[in-house]
Structures are given as C-alpha cells and as structure tokens.
C-alpha cells in the first residue's frame, strides 16, 4: 500500500512521516544543483515520442530560447504544428527534410542522399551555440534503415556545445545511442485505437 494512504498511521505519525519525506526531497534538490545540456532519446513502440519532444520545444520557446527542429521523415503532423510554429519564427527554425521517403520514392540512393542532407542541416544547428534545443525528429528510424550511421551521429553529438539539449526521436534507437544519452524514455505500447479499433489519425491527437 502507498504509505501516503496508510490509514494505520495516526494524524501525528502521518505528519512526521511527511515532514521527513520533505526533508529528504529538499536535500536531494539541493544536491542536484548543476545544469547540463542533455542528449535525450525518445524511443519505443508506444505513441508520444514526437509529442513529448514538441512539449520540450514549447517549454524552451516559453523561456525565450532559440530552437531548431529537423524532421528526418515526413510525418502526418505538418499542418497544425507548422501553423503554430510559424508564430514563433523569430525563435524557431523548422525544417522538414524527409519529403517522400522510402516507400514513396523506392530509390535507396536518393533516400540516403536526403538523409545526409538532413544530417548536414542538423549539424549546422548542433554546432551553433545560439540554439539551446535541437530536435532531430525520427532520426532513429533513419539510422535503423541504414541511411545514416550511428557513428556519424555520435560524432556529431560530440560537437554539441555544453549547454545545448538535443532530442532524438523514433522507434528502434540503437544501443550505442542509448548508452551515450543522458535521458532515455521508451514509450511502451499498451493500447492504440488504430490497432484495436481501426480508428484513423485524428486532428489534435495525431497531427
Ligand atoms: P506522436 O507523434 O503522436 O507523438 P510517435 O512520435 O510516438 O507519435 P511515430 O512512431 O512517430 O510515433 O508514429 C507517428 C504516428 O503513428 C502517430 O500519428 C501515431 O499516433 C501513430 N502511431 C504511433 N504508435 C502507433 C501504433 N502502435 N499503432 C498505430 N499507429 C501508431
Ligand atoms: Mg514520431
């Protein structure tokens, strides 16, 4: 049972327990005073990898930071996000580089060239100290497809300025990237309405 709802405690015992917990928490916060530019990975088969990254984009914009987004694979999320982001154009660079990938083009060499182009664009933002957050959306998928090597990506991440945060999203993040990252979240698929009920992508939820 969660100790917070432990009904066997008297009100005074509960108060003392909560007081001790507060002290421990305050000590932890006091110790964790350093800041650090993070390498963040959102992977796994559950929904939420890109949207969680966009949440951090929103927070960063709210703090007045400059942000860059490089989209490696074209998603369904163009119209709504683009409209919102266009209002932040003084702080935000948004580049959708994954136009017509793989199954549409069926041309591997062209896809590799496109992935390289997107990566060069990403590198220019990673190296630029003016950008506090760089979101590389779906880059993990591009690595998994073999269009970009994990070694190349790790070498690029090594060039990031100390204070810059970089988020890499997409299913199947390679082990070497997970090892290198500071913050890794694996979205777990429990239910998805498309799978169980055949519900199609909906505005506000998927794009
Ligand atoms: P989101 O952009 O909603 O955060 P995501 O980035 O975690 O999703 P992607 O792998 O990029 O997921 O997939 C993009 C799209 O596929 C989203 O519209 C999402 O709703 C849908 N999707 C994600 N997981 C599943 C699933 N298990 N089955 C069917 N569709 C899915
Ligand atoms: Mg995504």
């Amino acid at each position: 049972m969660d100790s917070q709802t432990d009904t066997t405690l008297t009100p005074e015992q509960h108060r003392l327990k909560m007081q001790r917990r507060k002290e421990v928490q305050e000590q932890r916060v006091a110790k964790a005073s350093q800041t650090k530019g993070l390498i963040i990975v959102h992977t796994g088969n559950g929904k939420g990898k890109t949207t969680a990254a966009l949440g951090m984009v929103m927070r960063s914009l709210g703090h007045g930071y400059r942000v860059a987004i490089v989209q490696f694979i074209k998603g369904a999320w163009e119209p709504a996000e683009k409209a919102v982001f266009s209002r932040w154009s003084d702080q935000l660079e948004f580049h959708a580089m994954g136009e017509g990938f793989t199954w549409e083009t069926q041309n591997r060499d062209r896809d590799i060239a496109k992935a390289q182009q997107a990566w060069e664009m990403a590198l220019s933002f990673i190296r630029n100290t003016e950008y506090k957050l760089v979101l590389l959306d779906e880059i993990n998928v591009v690595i998994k497809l073999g269009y970009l090597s994990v070694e190349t990506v790790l070498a690029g991440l090594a060039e990031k300025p100390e204070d810059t945060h970089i988020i890499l999203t997409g299913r199947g993040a390679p082990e070497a990237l997970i090892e290198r990252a500071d913050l890794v979240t694996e979205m777990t698929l429990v239910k998805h309405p498309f799978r169980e009920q055949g519900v199609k992508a909906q505005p506000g939820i998927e794009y």
Side-chain angles (χ1 to χ4, degrees), residues 57 61 64-69 81-95 125 130-131:
V57 168
L61 292 173
Y65 300 145
R66 295 189 75 170
V67 176
I69 301 175
E81 279 95 332
K82 250 190 176 160
V84 172
F85 291 155
S86 67
R87 296 176 205 173
W88 292 87
S89 54
D90 52 335
Q91 267 172 265
L92 178 70
E93 283 275 342
F94 173 81
H95 295 274
F125 292 121
E130 285 188 14
Y131 289 88

Side-chain angles (χ1 to χ4, degrees), residues 159-192:
E159 287 190 48
K160 93 170 182 62
E162 196 143 322
D163 293 337
T164 305
H165 303 300
I166 302 182
I167 314 176
L168 305 96
T169 83
R171 294 166 191 226
E175 205 44 52
L177 176 61
I178 289 173
E179 242 167 68
R180 173 64 192 81
D182 303 290
L183 173 55
V184 180
T185 302
E186 176 153 357
M187 308 294 173
T188 306
L189 172 65
V190 179
K191 278 187 180 183
H192 195 291

Side-chain angles (χ1 to χ4, degrees), residues 33-193:
S33 59
Q34 66 161 341
T35 63
K36 182 186 178 192
L38 301 174
I39 293 175
I40 303 168
V41 174
H42 292 171
T43 193
N45 292 332
K47 172 171 156 62
K49 299 173 286 295
T50 297
T51 44
L54 292 174
M56 285 188 238
V57 168
M58 186 184 78
R59 285 178 170 168
S60 297
L61 292 173
H63 285 282
Y65 300 145
R66 295 189 75 170
V67 176
I69 301 175
V70 178
Q71 202 186 2
F72 279 76
I73 292 182
K74 187 179 172 168
W77 54 289
E78 300 282 291
E81 279 95 332
K82 250 190 176 160
V84 172
F85 291 155
S86 67
R87 296 176 205 173
W88 292 87
S89 54
D90 52 335
Q91 267 172 265
L92 178 70
E93 283 275 342
F94 173 81
H95 295 274
M97 302 293 284
E99 300 283 340
F101 240 108
T102 56
W103 42 91
E104 281 173 30
T105 65
Q106 295 163 17
N107 181 336
R108 193 178 156 85
D109 289 342
R110 183 180 168 278
D111 288 351
I112 290 172
K114 285 234 154 201
Q116 290 295 335
Q117 218 179 314
W119 174 245
E120 289 303 323
M121 167 76 69
L123 258 186
S124 70
F125 292 121
I126 289 171
R127 290 173 175 146
N128 189 334
T129 52
E130 285 188 14
Y131 289 88
K132 176 71 172 169
L133 177 69
V134 181
L135 166 55
L136 309 177
D137 192 47
E138 309 301 346
I139 192 173
N140 297 339
V141 176
V142 170
I143 298 171
K144 199 166 140 187
L145 289 168
Y147 297 168
L148 208 57
S149 79
V150 68
E151 290 79 15
T152 300
V153 173
L154 291 176
L157 294 178
E159 287 190 48
K160 93 170 182 62
E162 196 143 322
D163 293 337
T164 305
H165 303 300
I166 302 182
I167 314 176
L168 305 96
T169 83
R171 294 166 191 226
E175 205 44 52
L177 176 61
I178 289 173
E179 242 167 68
R180 173 64 192 81
D182 303 290
L183 173 55
V184 180
T185 302
E186 176 153 357
M187 308 294 173
T188 306
L189 172 65
V190 179
K191 278 187 180 183
H192 195 291

